[in-house]
PDB file of all heavy atoms in Angstrom:
ATOM      1  N   ALA A 171      -5.531  38.960   0.854  1.00  0.00           N
ATOM      2  CA  ALA A 171      -6.040  38.304   1.984  1.00  0.00           C
ATOM      3  C   ALA A 171      -5.288  37.045   2.368  1.00  0.00           C
ATOM      4  O   ALA A 171      -4.029  37.043   2.334  1.00  0.00           O
ATOM      5  CB  ALA A 171      -7.534  38.026   1.847  1.00  0.00           C
ATOM      6  N   ASN A 172      -5.999  35.932   2.597  1.00  0.00           N
ATOM      7  CA  ASN A 172      -5.313  34.707   3.024  1.00  0.00           C
ATOM      8  C   ASN A 172      -4.983  33.771   1.882  1.00  0.00           C
ATOM      9  O   ASN A 172      -4.738  32.536   2.111  1.00  0.00           O
ATOM     10  CB  ASN A 172      -6.184  33.982   4.044  1.00  0.00           C
ATOM     11  CG  ASN A 172      -6.097  34.701   5.396  1.00  0.00           C
ATOM     12  OD1 ASN A 172      -5.186  35.457   5.635  1.00  0.00           O
ATOM     13  ND2 ASN A 172      -7.127  34.449   6.255  1.00  0.00           N
ATOM     14  N   ASP A 178      -8.444  27.723   2.627  1.00  0.00           N
ATOM     15  CA  ASP A 178      -8.068  28.841   3.505  1.00  0.00           C
ATOM     16  C   ASP A 178      -9.316  29.540   4.058  1.00  0.00           C
ATOM     17  O   ASP A 178      -9.232  30.366   5.003  1.00  0.00           O
ATOM     18  CB  ASP A 178      -7.270  29.876   2.764  1.00  0.00           C
ATOM     19  CG  ASP A 178      -5.845  29.427   2.495  1.00  0.00           C
ATOM     20  OD1 ASP A 178      -5.290  28.703   3.355  1.00  0.00           O
ATOM     21  OD2 ASP A 178      -5.295  29.777   1.447  1.00  0.00           O
ATOM     22  N   TYR A 179     -10.459  29.178   3.558  1.00  0.00           N
ATOM     23  CA  TYR A 179     -11.749  29.782   4.016  1.00  0.00           C
ATOM     24  C   TYR A 179     -12.634  28.777   4.733  1.00  0.00           C
ATOM     25  O   TYR A 179     -13.837  28.992   4.933  1.00  0.00           O
ATOM     26  CB  TYR A 179     -12.443  30.489   2.823  1.00  0.00           C
ATOM     27  CG  TYR A 179     -11.454  31.534   2.300  1.00  0.00           C
ATOM     28  CD1 TYR A 179     -10.586  31.176   1.330  1.00  0.00           C
ATOM     29  CD2 TYR A 179     -11.454  32.782   2.853  1.00  0.00           C
ATOM     30  CE1 TYR A 179      -9.633  32.110   0.887  1.00  0.00           C
ATOM     31  CE2 TYR A 179     -10.519  33.737   2.401  1.00  0.00           C
ATOM     32  CZ  TYR A 179      -9.608  33.397   1.395  1.00  0.00           C
ATOM     33  OH  TYR A 179      -8.681  34.300   0.995  1.00  0.00           O
ATOM     34  N   ASP A 201     -11.042  25.304  12.914  1.00  0.00           N
ATOM     35  CA  ASP A 201      -9.853  26.220  12.664  1.00  0.00           C
ATOM     36  C   ASP A 201      -9.162  26.353  14.052  1.00  0.00           C
ATOM     37  O   ASP A 201      -9.832  26.631  15.071  1.00  0.00           O
ATOM     38  CB  ASP A 201     -10.376  27.591  12.215  1.00  0.00           C
ATOM     39  CG  ASP A 201      -9.249  28.394  11.625  1.00  0.00           C
ATOM     40  OD1 ASP A 201      -8.176  27.861  11.425  1.00  0.00           O
ATOM     41  OD2 ASP A 201      -9.527  29.556  11.208  1.00  0.00           O
TER      42      ASP A 201
HETATM   43  C1  NAG B 303      -7.001  35.244   7.507  1.00  0.00           C
HETATM   44  O1  NAG B 303      -6.917  34.103   8.424  1.00  0.00           O
HETATM   45  C2  NAG B 303      -6.881  34.537   9.826  1.00  0.00           C
HETATM   46  C3  NAG B 303      -6.578  33.314  10.631  1.00  0.00           C
HETATM   47  O2  NAG B 303      -7.413  32.225  10.253  1.00  0.00           O
HETATM   48  C4  NAG B 303      -8.120  35.234  10.110  1.00  0.00           C
HETATM   49  O3  NAG B 303      -8.180  35.696  11.495  1.00  0.00           O
HETATM   50  C5  NAG B 303      -8.356  36.487   9.211  1.00  0.00           C
HETATM   51  O4  NAG B 303      -9.634  37.064   9.444  1.00  0.00           O
HETATM   52  C6  NAG B 303      -8.233  36.004   7.744  1.00  0.00           C
HETATM   53  N1  NAG B 303      -8.317  37.252   6.933  1.00  0.00           N
HETATM   54  C7  NAG B 303      -9.076  37.316   5.837  1.00  0.00           C
HETATM   55  C8  NAG B 303      -8.958  38.614   5.170  1.00  0.00           C
HETATM   56  O5  NAG B 303      -9.784  36.513   5.450  1.00  0.00           O
END
Side-chain angles (χ1 to χ4, degrees):
N172 283 341
D178 286 327
Y179 301 86
D201 201 4

